[in-house]
Amino acid sequence: MPQFGPLRRHFKPLTVSLPGDSALNPCLKARTIPRTGQETVTDRLRHPRALLVRSRTPLHPLPNVSRLLGARISIKRDDLAGAPFGGNKSRQLEFYLGAARKQRADTVLITGAVQSNFVRTAAAAAASFGMHTVAQLEERVPHSGTTYRTSGNVLLLGILGAEIIHYPDGEDEVGADAALRDRAERLRQAGKRPYVIPLASGNPPLGALGYVRAGREIAAQAGDFDVVVVASGSGLTHAGLLAGLRSAGSRARVIGSCVRRPARRQAERVRTVLDGLGSLTDAAGTVSAGDIHVSDVALSPGYGRAGAAAFEAMRIVAREDGVMLDPVYTAKTFAVIPALLDCGDIARNSRVLFVHTGGLAAVFAYQDELDAYFRP
């Protein structure tokens, strides 16, 4: 049976948890609210939802991987949420497009990396509601080849009829948002009704509401886990999931696997999202500063670039339990589990939930790297 030894050699474990002292951030001081696990009427009225995820996504064990690693590992199949290849972004987009429809928008503008799952899912979702999409692609991944720039999500954007524009700096979220707003103003002057889905962390984190719902869904499906592992990039999925689980009474340790920035910066990002989420839903008030855990053990070699740890995680999960992961998000997320089991940060025989956030369309953009790793 395959072993994780080759995978573990690629890790230098580092996890960061924010201190539990609520004086660090008074907005994160836990408040008592009814832990029904249900959306409140106030939340529904304040934040309209465009229905994209029509049913619960499956949650089931990974029996062969569990035996291999010595932990009771289950998977939440959010790769099946929404339209094909939708994933976690479908849950986020329900609230952005809910707001767009309330404003009677006819055009959605969104920014992200060249192979952004969020941008491509937004284009598909917007089309389903009769809206056009302007997709701004940022240069986040250096030295990317032709396959990366034309296949996967980029190919699907063309099929969906999205207008593609470009932004040269992949690390300038504020500037990318400003460029979208400039384009939106030009559209408005031309008689269109644009809606901008912003990227920078200073904006209201409407998308996180989708994972507040998901956290409550998980609690209703399977009760509690010892550990939940999820990708942590923009922070919306991580923060929303944490708030949803806590508001449903779950005490699971939620670990965000860093996919874009190092652990200390990512912990601050998640805390900022939770601050903003507090203005949208009372669920954020059930989270304390000590609840924020992130790990960058699988981040190398950086955002949008796949390393041996991610490839090995893809191989193990596919060949043991027949589940496909993508090299940028979900493989790096799953790779945290054996690394933290190996160093003792996750105890053996723990109940562990891996949240599969999708992103499989991007697999095809990494064909050259995957061929080199997996070819016999």
Side-chain angles (χ1 to χ4, degrees):
M1 180 176 287
Q3 297 298 317
F4 269 91
L7 176 58
R8 286 171 176 149
R9 285 199 297 270
H10 298 284
F11 293 122
K12 294 181 180 178
L14 171 63
T15 59
V16 170
S17 303
L18 290 186
D21 184 1
S22 60
L24 276 175
N25 188 346
C27 295
L28 292 181
K29 186 180 291 184
R31 301 192 304 272
T32 301
I33 66 171
R35 290 188 170 180
T36 62
Q38 301 297 317
E39 209 175 16
T40 67
V41 173
T42 302
D43 284 347
R44 287 196 296 272
L45 292 175
R46 289 167 62 195
H47 310 299
R49 177 180 165 226
L51 187 60
L52 297 171
V53 183
R54 298 180 179 276
S55 60
R56 291 180 176 182
T57 58
L59 191 158
H60 62 79
L62 293 175
N64 299 323
V65 167
S66 294
R67 282 192 291 270
L68 185 66
L69 293 184
R72 292 172 286 171
I73 301 173
S74 295
I75 182 171
K76 175 64 170 169
R77 296 296 304 270
D78 264 17
D79 56 315
L80 304 178
F85 299 122
N88 66 321
K89 305 307 183 184
S90 294
R91 292 191 187 268
Q92 295 184 21
L93 284 162
E94 288 192 319
F95 289 92
Y96 287 117
L97 293 185
R101 295 181 76 200
K102 184 177 181 180
Q103 296 177 22
R104 302 180 62 82
D106 58 18
T107 305
V108 170
L109 297 92
I110 186 168
T111 189
V114 170
Q115 282 295 331
S116 170
N117 297 301
F118 198 11
V119 170
R120 182 261 310 153
T121 307
S128 73
F129 291 110
M131 292 182 273
H132 179 62
T133 298
V134 176
Q136 178 174 272
L137 304 184
E138 307 163 21
E139 298 297 332
R140 291 187 196 171
V141 180
H143 314 301
S144 53
T146 301
T147 303
Y148 177 85
R149 305 187 69 82
T150 59
S151 185
N153 285 311
V154 179
L155 176 63
L156 295 177
L157 281 172
I159 294 171
L160 289 162
E163 177 187 351
I164 298 176
I165 61 176
H166 296 273
Y167 188 75
D169 188 344
E171 296 301 323
D172 180 13
E173 293 183 340
V174 173
D177 283 348
L180 278 190
R181 291 189 173 105
D182 287 346
R183 182 57 178 269
E185 182 55 34
R186 293 197 297 274
L187 288 170
R188 196 172 288 111
Q189 291 173 4
K192 299 294 185 180
R193 299 186 301 276
Y195 179 83
V196 173
I197 299 176
L199 175 65
S201 60
N203 296 286
L206 277 177
L209 292 170
Y211 267 84
V212 173
R213 288 177 54 87
R216 291 165 172 167
E217 178 178 306
I218 288 168
Q221 279 178 296
D224 214 355
F225 289 89
D226 298 311
V227 177
V228 176
V229 180
V230 66
S232 193
S234 69
L236 298 179
T237 295
H238 183 178
L241 180 66
L242 179 55
L245 287 169
R246 289 293 180 270
S247 68
S250 170
R251 302 312 304 166
R253 182 162 58 117
V254 178
I255 300 174
S257 174
C258 301
V259 296
R260 185 167 182 191
R261 54 187 67 83
R264 288 183 177 84
R265 288 175 55 203
Q266 187 61 25
E268 294 296 334
R269 176 77 174 221
V270 174
R271 185 168 67 176
T272 297
V273 174
L274 281 164
D275 284 348
L277 188 59
S279 68
L280 303 179
T281 174
D282 284 344
T286 62
V287 180
S288 67
D291 284 328
I292 301 174
H293 305 276
V294 297
S295 174
D296 58 8
V297 298
L299 175 60
S300 180
Y303 176 79
R305 300 169 65 196
F311 289 143
E312 189 67 5
M314 291 178 72
R315 183 183 71 83
I316 292 295
V317 178
R319 297 183 185 182
E320 292 297 322
D321 278 304
V323 175
M324 298 301 300
L325 307 179
D326 82 284
V328 177
Y329 290 93
T330 52
K332 290 184 177 183
T333 302
F334 187 86
V336 164
I337 297 172
L340 298 187
L341 281 165
D342 202 39
C343 72
D345 199 19
I346 298 176
R348 297 289 170 183
N349 206 38
S350 291
R351 298 164 299 166
V352 180
L353 178 64
F354 162 61
V355 180
H356 192 322
T357 52
L360 293 177
V363 167
F364 305 103
Y366 291 84
Q367 179 177 337
D368 295 340
E369 294 94 327
L370 291 166
D371 273 348
Y373 190 84
F374 287 104
R375 183 178 296 149

